[in-house]
Amino acid sequence: METKLRFGMVGGGNGGNIGNSHRRGALMDSLAVLTAGSFTRDGERNRRDGERWGVPADRIYSDYAAMAEEEGRRPDGIDFVSIVTPNASHYPVAKCFLAHGINVVCEKPFTLSVPEAEELRRLAAEKNLEICVTYTYAHYPIMRECRHLVESGRIGRIIDIVAEYPQDWMILGLSKDADNFTKWIGDPATSGNSNVTAAMGVNLNYLITAMTGLELESVLAHFGYYPEDAPLETTARIFLRYKGGAGGLAWTSNVAIGHDCTIDLKLYGDKGSIRWSHEDPTRLTVSYLGGPVEILAANRDYLDEWSREASRLPAGHPEGFYEAFANIYREFCRHLLDKKNGAAGQSGDYFYPKARDGVDGVRFVHACVRSQQTGNAWTNVADG
Amino acid sequence: METKLRFGMVGGGNGGNIGNSHRRGALMDSLAVLTAGSFTRDGERNRRDGERWGVPADRIYSDYAAMAEEEGRRPDGIDFVSIVTPNASHYPVAKCFLAHGINVVCEKPFTLSVPEAEELRRLAAEKNLEICVTYTYAHYPIMRECRHLVESGRIGRIIDIVAEYPQDWMILGLSKDADNFTKWIGDPATSGNSNVTAAMGVNLNYLITAMTGLELESVLAHFGYYPEDAPLETTARIFLRYKGGAGGLAWTSNVAIGHDCTIDLKLYGDKGSIRWSHEDPTRLTVSYLGGPVEILAANRDYLDEWSREASRLPAGHPEGFYEAFANIYREFCRHLLDKKNGAAGQSGDYFYPKARDGVDGVRFVHACVRSQQTGNAWTNVADG
Amino acid sequence: METKLRFGMVGGGNGGNIGNSHRRGALMDSLAVLTAGSFTRDGERNRRDGERWGVPADRIYSDYAAMAEEEGRRPDGIDFVSIVTPNASHYPVAKCFLAHGINVVCEKPFTLSVPEAEELRRLAAEKNLEICVTYTYAHYPIMRECRHLVESGRIGRIIDIVAEYPQDWMILGLSKDADNFTKWIGDPATSGNSNVTAAMGVNLNYLITAMTGLELESVLAHFGYYPEDAPLETTARIFLRYKGGAGGLAWTSNVAIGHDCTIDLKLYGDKGSIRWSHEDPTRLTVSYLGGPVEILAANRDYLDEWSREASRLPAGHPEGFYEAFANIYREFCRHLLDKKNGAAGQSGDYFYPKARDGVDGVRFVHACVRSQQTGNAWTNVADG
Amino acid sequence: METKLRFGMVGGGNGGNIGNSHRRGALMDSLAVLTAGSFTRDGERNRRDGERWGVPADRIYSDYAAMAEEEGRRPDGIDFVSIVTPNASHYPVAKCFLAHGINVVCEKPFTLSVPEAEELRRLAAEKNLEICVTYTYAHYPIMRECRHLVESGRIGRIIDIVAEYPQDWMILGLSKDADNFTKWIGDPATSGNSNVTAAMGVNLNYLITAMTGLELESVLAHFGYYPEDAPLETTARIFLRYKGGAGGLAWTSNVAIGHDCTIDLKLYGDKGSIRWSHEDPTRLTVSYLGGPVEILAANRDYLDEWSREASRLPAGHPEGFYEAFANIYREFCRHLLDKKNGAAGQSGDYFYPKARDGVDGVRFVHACVRSQQTGNAWTNVADG
């Protein structure tokens, strides 16, 4: 029985935050070994990073295409690749690895356009490969309890959703170097047709989907711009309509001074409600009609067993962003290992963001942009 | 020099919450004496209430019209009347007292229709009378510091506003007696054309105005209904556009389980932000670009003097809803006394919600309703 | 049947905080009318204050002794007097009114010495009069639920107590005028033999007693002094031993920078725990063995009916310090009215701090001081 | 220049929490490779764990003594060993590895007796080896800012300290299997002469030392026992006296229902105060005399550079217990690498708990126990 996978990375050199999160997340549970990589275009650094992380010299590649080809050919080639390159290159890199039969983990946003996203999804399906898109925030351990409570009907039918994600990094950056910053924000080669909706709004969209299972039907978006002549939106206010009738609201901004990385999710059902804040990521606030507010903490005995399985430490010992990342990788690796061992699906579903979630995210962004462009009209996400 | 006013009440019998809030608020600072009243239609109770509250027997009236006429005629007649009757009667009662030359304090919503509101406002202006509409939440002591920080430019130009007001009293009521409750909600004689927007949304609208001085231009509303066939909205999600370019978002619901009376206001400027929550009404959360989050507490020395004046107790000794009410009454009484003493306006502005704020509230509700009826289109509040 | 009382005040002139709290608290529920007073020694101000508060001119006294005598003689004399003078005069003033047959409300600390406190208590008992000592913090509405949960056994046998009360007003004052301040602190005529224990520690002692019913047996105190040569303690750390075996800990300081008026009470039983903080005075944090943390809010339906009775406003509408004061006065007035109507005790106990609580507070302070003086030894409060 | 270390583990098999924390912490920054181990006495599991974690088969030892001897002899032997065995074996295992010239990381409590602790410290000093004792809580990234603010004099001279550490795991365990549990708690072979003071109190003692640099002089302890006949204390209330005059208070309990793993530290100086809670481990609450409360967040630009270096992720992305562990290992590895490269101390001090801190912890526990045994008398920790 296989118990360990080999993986490679494209990007992630020089100790950037995202690369570190992927590498540490993938390694945390000893289910995968970093075996190959093309970490950066700077050859010397590429070699040094690979060496530091224990990658054999002959599997440090100067080029992702060469890596995909060689690793796809070797009998002991990598099982999956983690793509942490700039957004615009997600599509070609992912396509290349899929073409060589290698599973893919990809940073969000999945791609810049819907057809690209659809194509990758189709390609993976044809080749029986798996794609994971790393929306992180739904994968803190306690979030499983949120999903469990919704699924089990404890809060009843969902009637209202409020999701918010303010940060201030953009206005902080602007205050330091407005010219460069604004140009960078406005460069479609870097950011596509959306700034904050693509970078942050997609996280809200996935968070809601992952917690509720609801299917988004249409959006009505009202964008804000700072500075006023910013080429792309810095604030997005979005009305949401779900199949089955639930309505909702999303707000995200990267010019909201005072917010490090606040994410608030509020789900209102007709029997109860659930609230979660990224400022206190290990706890869940739950209310049932007529009862007191309850605060649930990760890994306490009173949680569902499936929820507790996501924790690595006893209650009260905080698990953070890396552990949320590791939860995604653990489920993805479990999926690949089960497939290798001919046991896929026997242990139920795998809880990680899949190709479909990547596609949905791109659709969501495009629908919001179109709504804004058409005078804030309701826009079907299927047309996104 | 006059130092004390006489006032009367219409409604407020039997110790209802709103009546108590008005009476206790009006009396707290010994600036007014309860001198007349028509508290309830039940004659025996009316008499008992008046007696308990020290009203002379001959000034306990069975009828508001008789009270207005008699008090308007007496040389020692009341200076103002507080109207705490059901919404639909605000207009005729207020009109009657204004007609007899008596200043008016009126519970919100001011009136059910815009023309009614405009008429009362005009009538007061013609007679040099004052109208106060009791939107309470902007009048906790610390809220003056909020207004002061905005006015003084400390948080820069406002670029984004988020205001929320969820409660669960409606769904709690529905769970106990759905039939009666739904009928009551849907009775236009009681509620007019709006439920949660009129009852709670107006508070958000005033709160933003009072804190920022911004003038609302247009709204785009997306209503929710629970139960699905409820005749009037139980959730309102509203996009806001202000003159000068600021955008915003308001969300209110009375079917949001787990919320006693949560009100969250967030003001984002380009130099800082201010956040306030009714769940911690004595403190303000302030951030300046690049600095740490600061928590300001009511009546601390570091506050502006105008802010500190609103506190009656040392920092850390909580002042609540009655004291917020009393702050409105204190300013209103100060205004009337200054007028009596020929000193109106010499001590600057009076910070209480005026006729104009009452009119604005009614316009706001009507514009939201029209937006919803026209497929969630932007609607000018001037047309509300 | 009597439904209203007459009361007078000694002290409370010039709008001082404590005087205002007593007057507003006593008047809030229309159970008592301010009928007489000797508010300040400044004759002109005394007259003006009395007039402003509606006291008949002939019942504004320049002297408390004259007031006690005259009011004790009149058939329509006051039912009770509220004493809000400096600490050292509590004893003679209270004794004088009791001697003239008038019930007493007295600010804490009750007296400066134990024999004085015992004498007042005895005197009241002999004359069938009631004494109330206004320890406020145990009388926020939600605190009744705390007491109820303890009494009903919901948290089991109490095994540990932690009570804390830090403020920073003393060090703020010292920073402004160290010389004057230190002298004032050290003047035994003003402060007796204790500073922070007498001024703040007594509140913790009563809070624990009122919530748990436990009887304090002995204390071991470890004082701190700031500045180092301060004549009286500015920090008190106190170990507590209760009859029946429960242990506890109290900490209070008036030189703890950053605290407006923080009071934290934590009660640990063998089936659950209760936590309360004055920074969020309307809510209670309750945990039962193995269950999630619950947040209870004042006046919610799920509370005990006795707890809900203490609230004047719907859940979520904050009641503050004045309302806590009013809760004490409401119970005290209810007690006196029941006695007048021959119905005392028929409606159960009256929940306000009584003579015994005043005596206990003085004993507590003296026992702590003695413990400190004897090298931090355990000291019986009975010997305090 | 050496950039990587080899390390081994004794204990930590079967994925226990502590073992995982050490392994993940040590590996996080790629400064050390797990090269040898004796993880558990169960030979099959030992082999499987080693294999899973990539340890070469010939360096998986059935016996710690054999491991110390062999690794001490090999030219490529391990640089340090992490000891995560039951408390009673810390001493012999650590002594054995030191004897073979291998640096030591040891779980707390360091040893059961003071002479043992002193002997290990002396042994390491003689051989120029380093010892690290893993008190974790002082090593969350934001705690460096706490230490920095104290050191730089920002809060002035420290005049009062309050440290608390309640949990409920013991009473939860007792509720499930009282007999076994009580026996286990009472077995001196397992727990030595102290339960909660040794297991949790030591963390408070180190936390204060690490944040303030103050030297503890004497303690006065008052223990609590649950159940009443428990052989060792389940609650410890401790008065603290520091050299230079600061006083303090520590409270810890493992029968405090409702606490997952609460740790609260409050430092009061004469110019400001700092508060930190493990329930919100990434933020610090700071107040300066007369100013508002400030909330500082990890890795924000306004922090000291030394504080920011401890963060691996942008502000707002929570780092948890593993990352705190990794911070200890990173500093320890930096120390060993600097020594190897002949650069020790050139980059300033290394911020991790050292042999001296291990000794201090054992002294602290023994002094508390002695104080309790001598009727709660002040006890010098030098005599502990």
Side-chain angles (χ1 to χ4, degrees), chain C residues 121-296:
Chain C
R121 184 187 179 187
R122 205 168 41 241
L123 193 54
E126 283 166 15
K127 300 202 148 212
N128 190 26
L129 294 168
E130 305 304 327
I131 291 174
C132 168
V133 181
T134 47
Y135 301 111
T136 316
Y137 307 108
H139 296 278
Y140 287 96
I142 196 67
M143 298 314 272
R144 285 201 177 185
E145 186 70 9
C146 178
R147 182 181 161 109
H148 164 74
L149 290 172
V150 173
E151 265 188 353
S152 64
R154 289 295 304 280
I155 64 162
R157 182 171 67 81
I158 289 182
I159 55 179
D160 200 11
I161 295 169
V162 178
E164 308 186 332
Y165 187 0
Q167 288 193 310
D168 64 7
W169 65 270
M170 178 75 73
I171 198 165
L172 270 172
L174 281 165
S175 74
K176 288 169 193 164
D177 186 353
D179 278 359
N180 254 335
F181 215 75
T182 311
K183 264 177 233 143
W184 179 81
I185 299 168
D187 182 356
T190 319
S191 299
N193 58 351
S194 162
N195 172 3
V196 75
T197 312
M200 295 165 51
V202 287
N203 279 302
L204 295 180
N205 183 53
Y206 173 71
L207 193 53
I208 296 171
T209 304
M211 292 302 109
T212 67
L214 288 174
E215 208 173 327
L216 185 63
E217 198 168 72
S218 54
V219 297
L220 190 163
H222 169 36
F223 287 175
Y225 301 84
Y226 182 85
E228 286 181 344
D229 59 353
L232 295 173
E233 87 287 4
T234 51
T235 299
R237 310 167 190 99
I238 307 161
F239 291 154
L240 307 161
R241 268 186 189 152
Y242 291 89
K243 281 177 188 159
L249 181 61
W251 168 67
T252 184
S253 173
N254 51 26
V255 292
I257 293 175
H259 293 281
D260 303 320
C261 186
T262 307
I263 306 172
D264 288 331
L265 178 68
K266 298 180 253 194
L267 305 175
Y268 298 97
D270 60 5
K271 291 185 184 164
S273 71
I274 305 177
R275 288 178 269 164
W276 175 79
S277 174
H278 193 228
E279 303 209 338
D280 188 13
T282 68
R283 295 181 189 86
L284 216 56
T285 300
V286 180
S287 304
Y288 301 109
L289 188 68
V293 169
E294 297 180 10
I295 312 291
L296 311 185

Side-chain angles (χ1 to χ4, degrees), chain A residues 4 52 176 260 300, chain D residues 4 52 176 260 300-301:
Chain A
K4 222 161 197 173
R52 184 172 156 219
K176 287 171 192 162
D260 303 319
R300 275 281 192 176
Chain D
K4 222 161 197 173
R52 185 173 155 218
K176 287 170 191 164
D260 302 320
R300 275 281 192 177
D301 284 355

Side-chain angles (χ1 to χ4, degrees), chain B residues 4 17 24 28-29 52 140 168 172 176 260 278-279 283 297 300-301 312 314 316 318 320-323, chain C residues 4 17 24 28-29 52 168 172 176 260 278-279 283 297 300-301 312 314 316 318 320-323:
Chain B
K4 221 160 196 173
N17 287 320
R24 287 170 176 153
M28 188 166 289
D29 294 296
R52 183 172 155 219
Y140 287 97
D168 64 7
L172 270 172
K176 287 170 191 162
D260 303 319
H278 193 226
E279 304 208 338
R283 293 181 191 89
R300 274 282 190 176
D301 284 353
R312 289 171 186 77
F321 191 77
Y322 287 147
E323 287 76 36
Chain C
K4 223 160 194 173
N17 287 319
R24 288 171 175 150
M28 189 166 289
D29 294 294
R52 183 172 155 220
D168 64 7
L172 270 172
K176 288 169 193 164
D260 303 320
H278 193 228
E279 303 209 338
R283 295 181 189 86
R300 275 280 191 178
D301 284 354
R312 289 171 186 77
F321 191 78
Y322 287 148
E323 288 75 36

